[in-house]
Amino acid sequence: MKHRILALVLMLLGWTSRPVSAQTVHLSVNSELEEYLRFAQTISSLQPVPWSIRGFSVKQESTVVAAPAVHPWQQRQEFFRPRTNGVRILPISAAAIFNSAFPFGSNDGAVWAGKGLTTVFQAGIAGKWGPLSATIAPLFFRAENSAFTLMENGKTGKLQFADGQFPEVIDRPQRFGAGAYQLVSPGQSTIRLDGFGATIGVSTANQAWGPATRYPFILGNNASGYPHVFLGTESPLNIGIGAVQGRAVWGMLEQSAFSPVGGPQYFVDGIESGRRRFTAGIVATFQPRGVTGLELGAGRFFHRAWPEGGPRTGDFTSLFQNIFKRGLPTEVSLPGSENTKGVRDNQLFSLFVRWVVPGTGFEAYGEFGREDHSWDIRDFILEPDHGGASRMVGVRKMWPNGLALRTEVINYQAPQLTRLRPEGAVYVHYVLRQGHTVKGQPLGADVGVGSGAGAMLAFDKYAASGRNTIMWERSLGRDRGRFYLTDVPMDEAPDVRQTLSLETVRFGKPFDVTAKVGATMNFNRNFSSDVFNLNVQVGTSYRF
């Protein structure tokens, strides 16, 4: 282990999950520059840019990078040049990640960092030709994926690697097989056409819905992006009483090799529900006139069974269906179930708010998320937790000297309602049994499934030379007790991780270097013993 850590440090090769571009701006979801600009634009006294539908259009990028005149990175003008016509080479990035005891990492796109050494490489090109723009930014990673103790799930064969608690209703492997795991991903690639107030395109890039950065309920950058087409507003549209922005997406979700779903790609029945899923979603924000800095929004995201012969008109229009289950068309129920409404799909829904106090560097935000439909308005009013619900709040603040604070908390632990009747759970599903995942990783918050929670507190110090960060995080990965799965209390539940990490980013010419070390104590890991993990990351990005 000592030799591995020494080699890791000496390599000084790595990839920063937040690449910074040299010539013209290219903002990917939760990238280093995007994260900084979110702080910087709150220092301005102007109307804040809405931040709850990302990635940005080219026009929005140009608005976002028009940061206030006084901020810690103001001298690094190479970071803030709007896209210009022509083709350019994106930074070439590489990274090495080491975990001493178990897989650890989140919000890093397609990358899955197992036990041992994981290496990551990314490169690409970007171009703009009037209203047409394109980014091709593939990513490759290889995880050593050394052996560690798995949570016993009662399965054999490939499913022994499946989730320890919910192996039949989510595609979230504990380990991606018994050997090295590697993947080539199209990464943050997009072709889009902007103009006349609209944007349309095809993409595999990550999306972010809602104001959260660490714990988004529906979509963030924890997993890889998925192939999708999108149609929306190019920038907020003035409608008199305020400004609105929206986007609709349709795409395809694939599973990992360790999914509980077998059989053909299309839906056959409740057992062979299809290795491929169709997804449709819509998200919108509203900035009311007269209330500077306020941003309200909502989103709904559907997983639908992939039909034999491919998607049909009803799959594309499903995002406009009735918000209550009672109003859905009647379908034939599946064996073992009496449900005749929304049989072959699953909805996630969220309401969110963000408020920025212009010129102060302060913002506060929150999100309420729901898994599946409420039966009717009465059901929603009486029991909003029915089916699984999430609550997230966050606060961010930057001072003129470059010191910044950010904190987020999410909770979707199983409610007391489970004492009274059978309940659904967040991110898992009993028909489309891959759950809210793509290629084995959660599309939303990466804390736990079924019943989870997370909290983080970070202090950043920005300077012309880069950034230093200290962060604490607590995540509830697994939860089980008297009111959840059994009537027998467990002394070694819940399964909780406490992590303290230090990170530094240093800008150079032409190299940027990143280094991070994190210490995690996993209490009651897999409802068993305590396990310590050391996470070390080093990286560099070459800017042309």
Side-chain angles (χ1 to χ4, degrees):
M1 183 183 299
K2 292 180 179 178
H3 291 155
R4 288 178 179 173
I5 296 176
L6 179 61
L8 187 66
V9 174
L10 291 178
M11 285 171 65
L12 282 182
L13 276 176
W15 165 76
T16 169
S17 63
R18 298 175 173 183
V20 178
S21 171
Q23 294 119 338
T24 56
V25 68
H26 170 65
L27 299 180
S28 56
V29 168
N30 291 338
S31 64
E32 181 71 49
L33 185 54
E34 189 195 76
E35 182 81 1
Y36 173 79
L37 288 170
R38 177 164 177 169
F39 274 127
Q41 60 104 25
T42 64
I43 297 173
S44 171
S45 59
L46 302 176
Q47 170 78 4
V49 175
W51 216 264
S52 299
I53 305 177
R54 295 173 286 137
F56 292 122
S57 69
V58 174
K59 183 176 180 179
Q60 287 177 296
E61 283 184 352
S62 299
T63 303
V64 169
V65 299
V70 179
H71 58 90
W73 288 358
Q74 60 183 328
Q75 297 177 359
R76 309 203 68 90
Q77 292 301 314
E78 68 269 27
F79 295 167
F80 308 109
R81 296 172 185 157
R83 292 201 201 193
T84 56
N85 286 334
V87 178
R88 65 188 179 91
I89 303 175
L90 296 176
I92 296 177
S93 304
I97 305 167
F98 176 78
N99 284 313
S100 64
F102 50 75
F104 185 84
S106 62
N107 291 1
D108 46 11
V111 177
W112 181 83
K115 179 183 176 182
L117 183 66
T118 299
T119 51
V120 188
F121 298 93
Q122 187 174 32
I125 60 173
K128 181 178 182 294
W129 306 270
L132 179 67
S133 60
T135 299
I136 308 299
L139 176 146
F140 167 80
F141 79 89
R142 183 184 186 276
E144 184 179 9
N145 194 20
S146 299
F148 59 94
T149 302
L150 300 177
M151 182 177 182
E152 176 60 46
N153 61 15
K155 304 297 180 180
T156 59
K158 70 173 186 177
L159 285 183
Q160 67 182 298
F161 300 107
D163 187 83
Q165 192 174 9
F166 302 102
E168 292 286 355
V169 291
I170 192 168
D171 177 25
R172 193 194 189 199
Q174 302 177 67
R175 185 184 179 199
F176 284 77
Y181 173 57
Q182 59 190 27
L183 181 69
V184 177
S185 168
Q188 307 304 309
S189 299
T190 300
I191 300 175
R192 69 190 310 151
L193 184 65
D194 297 326
F196 301 101
T199 180
I200 185 172
V202 296
S203 178
T204 60
N206 285 107
Q207 305 168 69
W209 290 10
T213 56
R214 192 70 179 177
Y215 307 121
F217 180 67
I218 295 181
L219 289 177
N221 70 323
N222 179 67
S224 67
Y226 59 90
H228 63 275
V229 298
F230 61 88
L231 172 65
T233 54
E234 184 182 17
S235 60
L237 300 177
N238 189 338
I239 58 171
I241 61 173
V244 295
Q245 184 179 12
R247 184 174 300 168
V249 297
W250 300 270
M252 178 181 69
L253 296 174
E254 294 187 298
Q255 63 182 24
S256 77
F258 307 94
S259 168
V261 180
Q265 291 183 333
Y266 55 85
F267 182 90
V268 176
D269 53 32
I271 302 300
E272 295 184 344
S273 56
R275 293 183 288 110
R276 177 178 290 174
R277 286 154 291 152
F278 181 81
T279 179
I282 188 168
V283 59
T285 64
F286 173 62
Q287 294 174 281
R289 183 178 180 180
V291 189
T292 303
L294 182 62
E295 178 181 347
L296 308 172
R300 42 188 333 205
F301 186 92
F302 287 89
H303 295 257
R304 290 182 64 87
W306 191 272
E308 186 174 4
R312 299 159 188 169
T313 302
D315 297 307
F316 287 91
T317 59
S318 61
L319 50 84
F320 302 112
Q321 70 176 231
N322 199 298
I323 62 173
F324 298 116
K325 184 162 284 191
R326 168 175 274 177
L328 299 180
T330 300
E331 303 178 49
V332 178
S333 63
L334 296 174
S337 171
E338 296 180 357
N339 179 36
T340 61
K341 304 283 189 177
V343 173
R344 294 165 179 81
D345 64 17
N346 183 44
Q347 175 193 236
L348 285 87
F349 172 77
S350 79
L351 297 170
F352 49 84
V353 58
R354 176 177 178 248
W355 181 52
V356 177
V357 183
T360 67
F362 174 84
E363 68 169 277
Y365 53 93
E367 182 175 32
F368 172 79
R370 269 290 307 267
E371 178 87 26
D372 215 343
H373 304 69
S374 293
W375 178 251
D376 54 21
I377 185 63
R378 180 182 179 86
D379 180 39
F380 179 77
I381 292 173
L382 290 177
E383 296 176 342
D385 286 345
H386 177 42
S390 167
R391 297 161 186 83
M392 183 280 301
V393 294
V395 171
R396 297 166 64 95
K397 165 70 178 176
M398 175 179 262
W399 287 267
N401 64 359
L403 180 64
L405 174 149
R406 50 197 166 96
T407 183
E408 269 186 28
V409 178
I410 190 172
N411 190 303
Y412 50 89
Q413 289 182 259
Q416 294 294 307
L417 188 59
T418 58
R419 294 178 300 168
L420 306 175
R421 66 182 189 185
E423 278 297 300
V426 172
Y427 295 155
V428 301
H429 199 252
Y430 291 83
V431 177
L432 303 180
R433 294 181 292 117
Q434 296 93 344
H436 190 53
T437 68
V438 60
K439 295 182 179 178
Q441 295 197 72
L443 287 160
D446 186 33
V447 285
V449 297
S451 181
M456 61 79 66
L457 174 66
F459 291 93
D460 305 300
K461 183 62 171 71
Y462 290 95
S465 59
R467 169 180 61 86
N468 293 319
T469 296
I470 180 170
M471 184 172 74
W472 163 82
E473 183 172 18
R474 176 189 184 272
S475 61
L476 172 65
R478 302 185 189 279
D479 190 12
R480 184 166 67 178
R482 180 185 302 274
F483 301 132
Y484 188 44
L485 292 179
T486 71
D487 289 327
V488 181
M490 297 186 64
D491 295 332
E492 294 179 329
D495 177 333
V496 171
R497 294 181 180 182
Q498 296 275 1
T499 300
L500 183 66
S501 61
L502 301 172
E503 183 178 14
T504 185
V505 175
R506 286 292 174 265
F507 301 140
K509 292 183 178 180
F511 287 95
D512 300 329
V513 178
T514 299
K516 181 178 181 179
V517 59
T520 299
M521 178 57 75
N522 193 163
F523 295 95
N524 300 324
R525 177 171 172 79
N526 298 334
F527 304 135
S528 181
S529 59
D530 300 344
V531 180
F532 174 80
N533 182 69
L534 178 67
N535 174 264
V536 180
Q537 303 179 37
V538 290
T540 189
S541 180
Y542 178 84
R543 294 182 281 114
F544 292 90

